[in-house]
């Protein structure tokens, strides 16, 4: 069966056909982080869904060229820099770094390019696009010196969000919403400089100012991927006004259909409400790691539910993620053991591998819940076969190969063991002796010394276990 996605534009499940089926790679644009603070795990739900999309397309033989922008100039970043009394670039730098760190912790495959909105190449393009929109009468400079998109002149405006123009209300991201504009829904392309912007400004034919958030994405997307893109993603909150505006700007300039498939993921919720910075109900990746969970466990917790279904974040859910991964780990360990011994009376035929079901589940609008359902069903069945000593080494090996294939999409491989430094190993040995002699004070002291070296020691039935502290 062909790949199918729910296209927000048509509100229908559509078969995926790239713009040019003979040309690779296909192009994907994903709206990236606004670097005014550390991204929260709600943002990462969106990035994990995009990661799953890219990996599944690759499994299906597509080469992918993916761009994710970094919004490093907008109202929030400017306000943050002003409050911190540092230049904009200095203010955003640590949040950019944190974003990459967290993305790595969650095993998110890097996009091919991460253009930043403040890069002079793109600012130049934003200015050129705005000039073109004015020339086509699709934009105008208002009395407040800012330049706005004239939505009444773009008949398709509202088609992505399925909005009636008359119902448009003002939105938080638009400056000077209350006056000057011809229509309440006209959005800023160029924001005229004012005192609050400090020294954040660029020269333009309309005077000093800075680009609006929406034109940033149109400029970076078309600069790097061309006038027409195969897939564009984001969270559902991006549909309006951001993506609606991206369509109006890009198509207003090029006259060509900007995006073939619009995919949006539902929100990560906390107590039924969107996880958001503004609501203060968010967790960051380090918050979750500090509770003793790994990046792999968080990845699983954010990945396991279909991307179009809202997902409530709970610690109970994190515990379930840990349990599910434990079942995978135990299964892999058993399979590995079976590959080492010829012990079976009867083998399970390879045809039982649920490759079709797993990959077919993902073909169906990335139905990860169905795909994981097949995985756990297979685990149950193979475990039963192993309990009855009915799985031979070759079949176990085939199951491991199957896991390798699906793991290229889900990336949930158990952590590889990290070598314990000799100094830590020596202290652990001394601690073991101390515990044999029931010298608990010395045992605790040694635990602290091990901890000071960045390692955590846990006492289990099988003896001491050493793990790097805060390991993902
Ligand atoms: P921002 O940094 O606000 O521009 O958001 C970056 C990405 O995260 C966008 O694709 C948003 O749609 C997405 N996003 C923001 N909050 C959530 C949430 N609670 N759940 C899922 N995605 C979100
Ligand atoms: Zn965007």
């Amino acid at each position: 069966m062909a790949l199918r996605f729910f296209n927000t534009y048509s509100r229908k499940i559509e078969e995926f056909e790239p713009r040019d089926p003979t040309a690779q790679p296909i192009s994907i644009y994903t709206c990236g982080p606004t670097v005014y603070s550390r991204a929260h795990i709600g943002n990462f739900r969106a990035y994990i869904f995009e990661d799953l999309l890219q990996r599944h397309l690759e499994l299906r033989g597509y080469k992918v060229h993916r761009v994710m922008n970094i919004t490093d100039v907008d109202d929030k970043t400017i306000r943050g820099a002003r409050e911190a009394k540092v230049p904009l670039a200095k203010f955003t730098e640590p949040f950019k770094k944190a974003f990459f760190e967290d993305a790595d912790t969650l095993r998110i495959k890097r996009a091919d390019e991460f253009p930043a909105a403040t890069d002079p190449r793109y600012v130049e393009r934003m200015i050129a696009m705005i000039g073109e929109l004015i020339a086509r009468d699709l934009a105008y400079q208002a009395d407040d010196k800012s330049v706005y998109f004239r939505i009444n002149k773009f008949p398709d405006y509202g088609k992505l969000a399925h909005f009636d123009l008359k119902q448009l209300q003002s939105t938080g991201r638009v400056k000077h919403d209350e006056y000057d504009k011809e229509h309440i829904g006209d959005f800023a392309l160029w924001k005229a400089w004012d005192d609050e912007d400090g020294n954040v400004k660029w020269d333009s034919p309309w005077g000093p100012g800075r680009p609006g958030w929406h034109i940033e994405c149109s400029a970076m997307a078309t600069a790097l991927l061309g006038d027409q893109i195969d897939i564009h993603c984001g969270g559902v909150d991006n549909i309006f006004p951001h993506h609606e505006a991206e369509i109006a700007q890009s198509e207003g300039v090029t006259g060509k259909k900007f995006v073939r498939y619009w995919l949006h993921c539902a929100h990560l919720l906390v107590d039924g409400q969107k996880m958001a910075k503004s609501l203060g109900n968010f967790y960051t990746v380090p918050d979750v790691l500090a509770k003793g969970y790994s990046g792999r466990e968080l990845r699983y917790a954010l990945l396991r539910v279909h991307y179009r279904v809202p997902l409530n974040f709970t610690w109970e859910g994190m515990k379930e993620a840990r349990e599910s991964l434990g079942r995978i780990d135990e299964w892999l360990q058993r399979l590995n053991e079976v590959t080492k011994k010829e012990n079976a009376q009867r083998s399970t035929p390879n045809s039982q591998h649920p490759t079709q079901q797993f990959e077919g589940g993902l073909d169906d609008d990335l139905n990860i819940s169905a795909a994981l359902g097949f995985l756990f069903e297979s685990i149950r069945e193979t475990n039963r076969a192993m309990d009855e000593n009915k799985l031979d080494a070759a079949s176990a090996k085939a199951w491991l190969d199957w896991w390798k294939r699906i793991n290229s999409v889900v990336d949930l491989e158990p952590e590889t063991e990290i070598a314990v430094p000799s100094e830590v190993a020596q202290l652990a040995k001394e601690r073991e002796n101390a515990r044999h002699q029931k010298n608990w004070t010395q045992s605790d002291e040694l635990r602290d010394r091990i901890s000071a070296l960045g390692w955590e020691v846990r006492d289990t039935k099988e003896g001491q276990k050493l793990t790097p502290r805060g390991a993902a």
Side-chain angles (χ1 to χ4, degrees), residues 132-328:
E132 189 64 37
L133 290 170
I134 292 177
R136 290 172 185 233
D137 205 27
L138 284 165
Y140 60 94
Q141 184 168 29
D143 293 343
D144 67 350
K145 297 273 182 279
S146 291
V147 179
Y148 296 96
F149 190 94
R150 184 176 269 134
I151 59 170
N152 279 334
K153 285 271 172 134
F154 189 78
D156 282 349
Y157 194 79
K159 284 222 169 129
L160 177 72
H162 296 236
F163 246 44
D164 179 354
L165 282 193
K166 288 184 216 88
Q167 290 172 357
L168 277 187
Q169 300 292 321
S170 75
T171 67
R173 291 256 194 178
V174 182
K175 200 173 174 183
H176 307 318
D177 256 345
E178 292 75 24
Y179 66 103
D180 271 340
K181 297 187 292 182
E182 293 174 3
H183 187 291
I184 184 81
D186 287 356
F187 57 87
L189 296 164
W190 187 258
K191 298 183 174 191
W193 180 87
D194 69 21
D195 287 346
E196 301 214 320
D197 295 340
N199 55 9
V200 179
K201 58 173 186 261
W202 287 265
D203 284 331
S204 82
W206 318 285
R210 60 187 166 97
W213 174 42
H214 314 312
I215 195 74
E216 294 178 4
C217 277
S218 282
M220 290 184 273
T222 54
L224 292 165
L225 297 171
D227 294 346
Q228 296 183 283
I229 296 169
D230 287 307
I231 304 176
H232 195 316
C233 310
V236 284
D237 57 316
N238 280 164
I239 298 173
F240 193 87
H242 187 51
H243 290 164
E244 193 73 63
E246 275 191 49
I247 295 175
Q249 298 160 153
S250 308
E251 297 188 3
V253 169
T254 67
K256 296 180 199 151
K257 189 163 178 65
F258 178 43
V259 169
R260 286 174 73 79
Y261 301 89
W262 284 97
L263 270 60
H264 293 99
C265 82
H267 282 144
L268 184 68
L269 310 175
V270 183
D271 298 329
Q273 263 195 315
K274 178 190 172 190
M275 182 177 286
K277 275 272 141 76
S278 55
L279 297 173
N281 61 352
F282 63 91
Y283 297 103
T284 62
V285 172
D287 290 340
V288 178
L289 298 186
K291 294 259 184 189
Y293 288 101
S294 67
R296 177 190 181 222
E297 287 165 337
L298 180 55
R299 174 177 176 83
Y300 183 86
L302 295 175
L303 180 80
R304 71 194 169 119
V305 169
H306 190 285
Y307 77 94
R308 282 196 292 119
V309 177
L311 167 61
N312 211 25
F313 179 79
T314 59
W315 295 109
E316 195 50 42
M318 286 304 302
K319 251 170 67 191
E320 283 164 24
R322 176 168 286 176
E323 279 160 21
S324 301
L325 290 172
R327 277 160 66 199
I328 295 178

Side-chain angles (χ1 to χ4, degrees), residues 433-450:
N433 290 336
R435 289 177 71 78
H436 274 310
Q437 290 155 15
K438 300 204 180 331
N439 187 343
W440 309 122
T441 320
Q442 196 191 0
S443 159
D444 286 348
E445 265 170 34
L446 286 159
R447 177 200 290 277
D448 291 344
R449 285 174 64 193
I450 291 170

